[in-house]
Amino acid sequence: MQDVLVFRRVRAVDPGRQLDAEIDVVIEKKLITRAGPRAADQLIGSVPNDRIRVIEVPGALLLPGLVDLHAHLREPGQEYKEDIASGLAAAAAGGFTDVCVMPNTRPVNDTRAVTELLVHKARAVGGTRLHPIAAITVGQKGDTLTEMADLKEGGAVALSDDGRCVTRSDVMRRALEYASTFDLPIIQHAEDHALTAGAEMHEGGVSTRLGLRGWPRIAEDVIVARDVLIAEYVKAKYHVAHVSTMGSVRILREAKSRGIPVTAEVTPHHLLLTDQKLIGYDTACKVNPPLRETEDLLALREALADGTIDCIATDHAPHSPLEKDCELSEAAPGMIGLELCLPLMLGLVEKGILPMGRMVEALTRAPARIVGLDAPTIAEGAPANLTLVDPNREWTVAPERLRTKSKNTPFMGHTMKGMVLATIVHGSIAFDATAKGC
Ligand code: DOR
Ligand code: ZN
């Protein structure tokens, strides 16, 4: 690799610096050394050609590196769906420099040994950085707290029982108190399982018509409301995973207005799809929490735009045909997301639904802040963590184009507008499709 990498005449967007301008960005020795209008002009003339690489794609956007708070990479235990190497490759191809991985593996990541295994394997793979999220309770069973100090020392950046809800109030109280002493956020999968037993989709008009068992909004709302009260009482950081209901939005908005330290994420699929997609019994559209109704989708979009929902997270949930080519009731919930997230979100920006700056913040600084990572930024002297994307380039989602091992997405065959061209992790190129773009 050359010593100097230049992104020339890119539209750089970094809401943390109120930056949205056409500039040159120069990377040397892992750092951004210059960032400004025509900042590379002199350099390009003076550095020998074999020592400098200049990437210039008309109309390209340069963003701080994307951070995903919520992905399932399935290793250890279900490597036929995904493993660390394929998951990190998919993350890099999706523009993510950092990905936080959920602990519902086999075995569950509820010990320092598993946390360290993930860290070591990911370092060996290189490229996009992996940050383990360890379990809140042993075996994600909801009863006994994990050894949080150990998990933090092993590299965990947060705690979650994702896939399962911490339903016991006493356990949630102690988890929040204990985790806050180590400054680890608790991430809740908000679902009152007693209200969702056997559910196949959102409970509403469509589920009634199809004769399918429903997952009512209140199963999420009651947990979020309770947890907000506990977080207020114990003054601890609390984060809600994949918010899906207008009720949760209302509760979060009120909580934030009262200064309670709550944060939340929303997935691309909950921002774009509704329960109508289940009319054809498409198992690719079975997710947990389920796709809701238009009024929820609109509330989620508004909440993301106004900051009530802090960030966008993929909930990348790879499954094989074994878990998806079956009846809806039998199908595993989840869809892949790492390689589709940015194009889908750029679609919301293009339609005027989400301001560009907000989208970038929700995929970079906001998630980084929640798990205590350094916020990526486009500034001289900052580590070079960057994502280059051509917002005008169209491509069609096809199995062979995806790096993830699993192909479970209702967007298969859809044309996306917006293609990731390069992902730079600490100065190194983790993903490079510029040859196709220039
Ligand atoms: O749709 C989902 N899939 N939601 C979850 O909470 C878990 C995830 C998975 O692990 O497949
Ligand atoms: Zn979940």
Side-chain angles (χ1 to χ4, degrees):
M1 199 192 129
Q2 290 85 353
D3 305 334
V4 186
L5 180 62
V6 177
F7 292 110
R8 197 160 198 216
R9 294 195 192 110
V10 287
R11 176 182 169 199
V13 180
D14 179 2
R17 301 188 57 228
Q18 279 88 43
L19 173 69
D20 186 343
E22 189 184 287
I23 61 171
D24 297 343
V25 173
V26 178
I27 298 160
E28 291 164 283
K29 298 199 179 81
K30 303 181 179 184
L31 300 180
I32 296 172
T33 50
R34 298 173 198 212
R38 312 194 70 92
D41 277 5
Q42 258 192 327
L43 201 71
I44 287 170
S46 61
V47 177
N49 276 349
D50 61 338
R51 285 196 44 224
I52 187 166
R53 172 152 177 223
V54 180
I55 295 173
E56 182 172 355
V57 181
L61 266 175
L62 189 69
L63 311 177
L66 310 188
V67 178
D68 189 9
L69 265 194
H70 191 144
H72 299 270
L73 298 195
R74 305 300 188 208
E75 187 173 349
Q78 292 182 312
E79 289 84 355
Y80 67 100
K81 299 184 185 191
E82 194 82 286
D83 59 27
I84 288 172
S86 64
L88 292 182
F96 291 94
T97 54
D98 293 86
V99 60
C100 303
V101 302
M102 284 297 176
N104 61 337
T105 46
R106 314 269 169 86
V108 167
N109 179 12
D110 57 4
T111 59
R112 182 169 175 168
V114 177
T115 299
E116 286 182 344
L117 174 92
L118 296 173
V119 169
H120 290 142
K121 284 211 165 188
R123 284 216 185 112
V125 169
T128 292
R129 295 168 293 204
L130 177 152
H131 307 280
I133 297 174
I136 298 170
T137 65
V138 174
Q140 296 190 291
K141 291 196 190 318
D143 298 316
T144 311
L145 296 185
T146 51
E147 291 295 343
M148 296 177 182
D150 247 18
L151 293 166
K152 171 140 187 176
E153 276 189 26
V157 295
L159 300 163
S160 179
D161 275 359
D162 185 55
R164 299 283 308 166
C165 181
V166 177
T167 47
R168 276 177 51 183
S169 305
D170 59 332
V171 174
M172 182 45 94
R173 179 221 173 139
R174 295 295 175 213
L176 282 164
E177 283 177 338
Y178 195 35
S180 72
T181 64
F182 309 110
D183 204 27
L184 285 171
I186 290 282
I187 302 178
Q188 174 71 299
H189 168 115
E191 171 181 2
D192 184 335
H193 295 293
L195 286 166
T196 63
E200 293 164 276
M201 64 173 295
H202 167 69
E203 180 175 291
V206 178
S207 67
T208 306
R209 229 182 313 141
L210 297 177
L212 295 175
R213 276 167 298 182
W215 196 135
R217 292 183 180 98
I218 51 161
E220 177 171 312
D221 302 351
V222 293
I223 298 293
V224 175
R226 178 205 68 176
D227 289 353
V228 160
L229 294 173
I230 301 175
E232 178 178 27
Y233 185 62
V234 303
K235 299 187 182 62
K237 277 190 217 162
Y238 170 77
H239 178 82
V240 192
H242 42 51
V243 170
S244 72
T245 68
M246 53 190 178
S248 294
V249 165
R250 182 166 47 79
I251 296 160
L252 289 166
R253 189 169 281 133
E254 202 244 1
K256 286 195 164 185
S257 76
R258 290 176 42 230
I260 303 170
V262 295
T263 53
E265 72 193 32
V266 63
T267 70
H269 46 274
H270 289 107
L271 291 167
L272 289 163
L273 307 173
T274 67
D275 61 346
Q276 299 282 331
K277 294 287 287 182
L278 273 301
I279 289 173
Y281 300 91
D282 182 1
T283 58
C285 292
K286 183 176 178 183
V287 283
N288 189 15
L291 303 176
R292 302 282 181 193
E293 297 181 48
T294 304
E295 52 206 314
D296 301 285
L297 177 146
L298 294 175
L300 294 170
R301 289 178 175 183
E302 188 189 359
L304 177 62
D306 74 18
T308 300
I309 293 178
D310 302 80
C311 58
I312 299 162
T314 66
D315 197 2
H316 176 78
H319 291 294
S320 80
L322 214 61
E323 294 87 19
K324 284 293 193 180
D325 292 352
C326 56
E327 282 180 31
L328 196 63
S329 59
E330 300 303 313
M335 62 175 79
I336 56 170
L338 285 168
E339 290 161 273
L340 304 174
C341 178
L342 186 56
L344 291 172
M345 295 301 92
L346 283 169
L348 289 183
V349 172
E350 189 171 41
K351 289 199 186 83
I353 291 164
L354 187 61
M356 174 68 88
R358 223 358 244 148
M359 182 205 76
V360 175
E361 178 164 275
L363 279 167
T364 59
R365 269 159 57 85
R369 210 183 299 126
I370 289 165
V371 287
L373 303 178
D374 289 339
T377 181
I378 305 177
E380 289 180 6
N385 294 301
L386 298 161
T387 301
L388 183 74
V389 54
D390 182 343
N392 299 313
R393 209 46 206 281
E394 295 195 352
W395 59 285
T396 301
V397 184
E400 64 277 9
R401 289 197 77 124
L402 300 174
R403 264 88 176 159
T404 169
K405 280 191 193 179
S406 294
K407 314 297 169 190
N408 52 304
T409 170
F411 295 105
M412 196 59 75
H414 286 223
T415 299
M416 299 280 137
K417 193 169 172 202
M419 185 188 277
V420 174
L421 296 179
T423 306
I424 310 296
V425 180
H426 210 174
S428 299
I429 302 182
F431 175 74
D432 185 0
T434 51
K436 289 186 228 162
C438 310

